[in-house]
């Protein structure tokens, strides 16, 4: 399959060649022709599978195919200027975008805008701007006054502009919700509904999400018409060379002892231990160091120098156990990492895939172990649905959990990573045995035994 055979505009094909894209990814192969034909789309595929181009290429193709409007009349900016020169007070004409892309975060919006500029380089008349929280207001007004064809925005700031009459969606043709599941997780549902309510019924809607289950699926059905569903689990993200396992634990003490035991596995070279919070990364790294491991923390509160030193230590093999948060460990590529441990489950199933991808690099075998409290079974299921793989449950002799997962009560309002009551995560209460010691009985020695109660908010690393 080639981009040519998808029927894209020659100028776009040229930009793709310049960008080094030789062939469409599977999600692009399916989405682009359908989108060009005007279909609504519901797409779920892994991160990095090329979703931006899957919606932006057909959109650019369609927008550039339309009869030119730019030469006619003046841009709103020029109109304002000539009004000023006539001594009149310029009136701001609302921007009338033809395409809107909603994204959960500023970073994503900027990525989409940058990609759009790359794909649309050779196209006159098609301009994309980002409207984001945190950007100075005059700058946004200036961007809107160019009346761009494509707006890329986070929901909150967009609504501010809509309410003050700066944006008029009556001409909107294409609506994209990028990372829709994440937007819903972040509580944007009402904002999204409000924005969609201001767009024409005739629009084309494309929704991209890691999953189409649950709330996202419900919203997707409400806002699309006869959508085509594209669901892709690509071979590279199936992680077939990674041995994945779940170990159930009764409480923190059990979790710490099991981690300590697994870190002494003879087949282990280097490991990354993922925690939900920066504070836990520090605490656990300190505890492991005291217990005799060459451990170090890596998280976003460390300055760049400290992060570089830690990463270099990891690359040189001086650090054997890196205790890290999701954000800090993103993209780490150290071939010696044989094991990944989820000390806390990630908040998003997508992050699970990023995490375990730190091992099994360059064609090697890897092991990914999740230490899971009984009540978290439902989140393991979510990860399994996302990866379309079952993760086997494993038990280490001497570390058997007292309860079985299915017998565990589910508490309402619980989220992954809430492994402790806030008051329970004091550094001094974490316990590890020294390497070389065998499994010990609950409550023996000076170890503190606590129940693994859960509540409180999770802070992301
Ligand atoms: P997603 O949104 O699915 O996570 P992106 O759209 O951000 O993925 O794309 C991931 C990376 O893949 C980007 O660096 C992008 O430039 C690149 N990419 C996308 N499509 C292709 C392609 N057909 N060939 C080569 N690289 C591609
Ligand atoms: Mg994306």
């Amino acid at each position: 399959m080639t981009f040519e055979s998808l029927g894209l505009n020659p100028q776009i094909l040229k930009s793709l060649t310049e960008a080094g894209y030789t062939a469409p990814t599977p999600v692009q192969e399916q989405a682009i022709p359908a989108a060009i034909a005007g279909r609504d789309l519901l797409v779920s595929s892994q991160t990095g599978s090329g979703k931006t181009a899957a919606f932006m290429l057909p959109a650019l193709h369609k927008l550039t195919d339309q009869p030119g409007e730019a030469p006619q009349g003046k841009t709103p900016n020029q109109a304002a200027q000539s009004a000023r020169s006539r001594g009149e007070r310029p009136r701001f004409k609302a921007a009338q975008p033809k395409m809107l892309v909603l994204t959960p975060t500023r970073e994503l919006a900027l990525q989409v805008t940058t990609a759009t500029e790359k794909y649309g380089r050779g196209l006159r008349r098609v301009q994309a701007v980002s409207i984001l929280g945190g950007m100075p207001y005059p700058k946004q007004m200036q961007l809107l006054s160019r009346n761009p064809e494509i707006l890329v925005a986070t929901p909150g700031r967009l609504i501010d502009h809509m309410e003050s009459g700066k944006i008029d969606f009556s001409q909107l043709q294409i609506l994209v919700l990028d990372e829709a599941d994440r937007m819903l997780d972040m509580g944007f549902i009402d904002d999204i509904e409000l924005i969609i309510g201001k767009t024409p019924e005739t629009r084309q809607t494309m929704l991209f999400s890691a999953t189409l289950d649950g709330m996202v699926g419900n919203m997707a059905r409400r806002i699309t018409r006869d959508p085509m569903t594209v669901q892709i689990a690509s071979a590279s993200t199936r992680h077939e060379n990674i041995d994945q396992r779940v170990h159930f634990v009764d409480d923190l003490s059990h979790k710490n002892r099991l981690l300590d035991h697994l870190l002494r596995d003879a087949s282990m070279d280097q490991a990354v231990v993922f925690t939900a919070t920066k504070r836990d990364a520090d605490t656990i790294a300190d505890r492991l160091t005291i217990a005799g491991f060459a451990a170090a923390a890596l998280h976003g509160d460390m300055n760049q120098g400290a992060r570089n030193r830690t990463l270099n230590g990891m690359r040189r093999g001086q650090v054997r156990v890196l205790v890290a948060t999701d954000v800090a460990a993103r993209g780490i590529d150290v071939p010696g990492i044989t094991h990944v441990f989820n000390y806390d489950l990630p908040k998003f199933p997508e992050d699970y895939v990023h995490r375990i991808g730190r091992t099994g690099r360059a064609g090697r075998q890897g092991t990914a172990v999740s230490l899971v409290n009984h009540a978290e079974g439902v989140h393991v299921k979510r990860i399994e649905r996302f990866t379309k793989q079952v993760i086997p449950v494993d038990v280490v002799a001497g570390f058997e959990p007292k309860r079985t997962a299915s017998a565990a009560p589910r508490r309402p309002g619980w989220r992954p990573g809430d492994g402790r009551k806030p008051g329970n995560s004091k550094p001094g209460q974490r316990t590890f045995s020294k390497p070389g010691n065998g499994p010990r009985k609950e409550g023996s020695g000076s170890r503190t035994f606590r129940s693994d109660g859960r509540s409180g908010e999770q802070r992301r690393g």
Side-chain angles (χ1 to χ4, degrees):
M1 181 74 74
T2 61
F3 281 111
E4 283 81 359
S5 63
L6 299 177
L8 289 165
N9 176 297
Q11 279 302 333
I12 298 178
L13 294 176
K14 201 162 151 247
S15 325
L16 292 176
T17 310
E18 281 165 17
Y21 292 14
T22 49
T25 64
V27 70
Q28 292 162 3
E29 251 177 48
Q30 293 196 40
I32 292 172
I36 290 178
R39 287 286 298 268
D40 280 3
L41 290 180
L42 302 182
V43 181
S44 77
S45 68
Q46 313 276 12
T47 304
S49 55
K51 291 188 285 292
T52 316
F55 61 77
M56 203 42 94
L57 298 180
L60 288 170
H61 174 89
K62 293 174 80 173
L63 294 176
T64 195
D65 234 18
Q66 295 173 1
E69 285 155 39
Q72 144 233 308
K74 291 171 176 148
T75 66
N77 218 7
Q78 290 166 334
Q81 234 146 48
S82 46
R84 241 180 253 118
S85 67
R86 290 194 302 272
E88 296 163 17
R89 208 162 148 249
R91 223 162 39 83
F92 187 90
K93 195 165 163 281
Q96 295 188 315
K98 293 178 178 160
M99 175 180 193
L100 170 65
V101 182
L102 288 177
T103 73
T105 64
R106 288 186 246 173
E107 289 71 25
L108 258 163
L110 289 171
Q111 271 176 40
V112 170
T113 312
T114 308
T116 308
E117 280 160 8
K118 182 163 75 176
Y119 304 145
R121 186 166 291 148
L123 306 173
R124 270 170 290 131
R125 292 207 310 270
V126 185
Q127 226 197 110
V129 308
S130 340
I131 296 298
L132 313 168
M135 191 189 266
Y137 205 72
K139 171 77 182 158
Q140 299 194 353
M141 295 303 296
Q142 191 231 324
L143 291 173
L144 285 176
S145 75
R146 294 185 205 156
N147 196 22
E149 287 76 13
I150 302 172
L151 273 190
V152 185
T154 50
R157 181 56 64 99
L158 184 66
I159 287 179
D160 291 348
H161 286 295
M162 287 163 64
E163 283 172 348
S164 58
K166 303 295 186 299
I167 302 173
D168 160 18
F169 283 128
S170 64
Q171 304 303 309
L172 194 83
Q173 299 169 12
I174 304 171
L175 171 69
V176 174
L177 304 187
D178 196 15
E179 307 218 357
D181 53 333
R182 210 165 254 209
M183 284 199 278
L184 296 192
D185 274 341
M186 290 168 73
F188 283 135
I189 180 98
D190 293 339
D191 289 352
I192 293 173
E193 303 263 359
L194 193 142
I195 294 165
I196 293 180
K198 304 281 184 203
T199 65
E201 293 266 313
T202 51
R203 66 170 194 270
Q204 177 180 25
T205 306
M206 299 186 247
L207 179 144
F208 293 78
S209 178
T211 163
L212 296 174
D213 298 336
M215 221 169 130
V216 187
N218 290 337
M219 182 178 77
R221 278 186 290 281
R222 276 202 307 283
I223 66 172
T224 55
R225 276 170 310 162
D226 182 31
M228 183 175 111
T229 303
V230 178
Q231 277 177 299
I232 285 162
S234 68
S236 59
T237 50
R238 250 181 262 133
H239 293 302
E240 270 150 9
N241 57 335
I242 300 173
D243 173 26
Q244 301 177 57
R245 286 185 255 140
V246 162
H247 286 273
F248 280 98
V249 295
D250 295 318
D251 51 55
L252 264 194
S253 154
H254 187 191
K255 189 187 268 194
N256 288 336
R257 282 182 293 116
L258 182 56
L259 175 67
D260 174 70
H261 174 78
L262 294 170
L263 284 173
R264 280 185 271 110
D265 182 333
S267 72
M268 197 196 94
D269 184 358
Q270 287 175 292
V272 183
V273 176
F274 281 98
T275 62
T277 68
K278 300 168 195 173
R279 187 168 132 194
D280 280 354
D282 279 332
T283 311
I284 294 167
D286 287 349
R287 288 279 130 209
L288 288 172
T289 303
I290 291 165
F293 293 100
L298 186 77
H299 58 68
D301 279 353
M302 293 161 58
N303 68 38
Q304 198 57 50
R307 282 159 78 159
N308 290 344
R309 273 194 300 282
T310 302
L311 275 173
N312 286 335
M314 192 73 184
R315 286 198 193 96
R316 285 198 295 265
Q318 292 153 345
V319 173
R320 280 192 65 223
V321 183
L322 187 71
V323 189
T325 57
D326 285 292
V327 173
R330 182 147 302 167
I332 289 180
D333 190 7
V334 177
I337 298 172
T338 50
H339 287 62
V340 166
F341 294 94
N342 290 313
Y343 187 88
D344 295 304
L345 281 180
K347 192 168 174 193
F348 302 105
E350 203 173 287
D351 290 333
Y352 176 85
V353 175
H354 285 300
R355 285 182 178 189
I356 71 169
R358 295 313 106 219
T359 181
R361 299 189 78 80
R364 297 169 202 224
Q365 279 299 122
T367 301
V369 177
S370 299
L371 304 173
V372 176
N373 298 291
H374 300 290
E376 291 176 309
V378 56
H379 293 275
V380 175
K381 290 278 172 296
R382 252 179 85 200
I383 292 169
E384 291 180 337
R385 272 202 304 279
F386 179 76
T387 60
K388 300 182 172 69
Q389 287 176 316
V390 174
I391 309 172
V393 175
D394 201 0
V395 176
V396 179
F399 294 89
E400 296 87 351
K402 291 200 195 74
R403 288 152 58 195
T404 58
S406 54
R410 285 192 192 153
R411 294 173 185 80
W414 172 84
R415 297 218 220 135
D418 289 3
R420 290 120 296 185
K421 285 178 183 162
N424 269 354
S425 52
K426 289 199 196 85
Q429 294 191 335
R430 287 261 162 87
T431 50
F432 292 90
S433 51
K434 293 235 184 279
N437 290 354
R440 288 198 244 160
K441 285 235 165 58
E442 198 70 78
S444 70
S446 61
R447 211 166 302 109
T448 347
F449 174 76
R450 278 171 290 111
S451 82
D452 204 2
R454 42 185 70 263
S455 70
E457 262 304 296
Q458 166 185 345
R459 193 159 54 89
R460 291 200 86 207

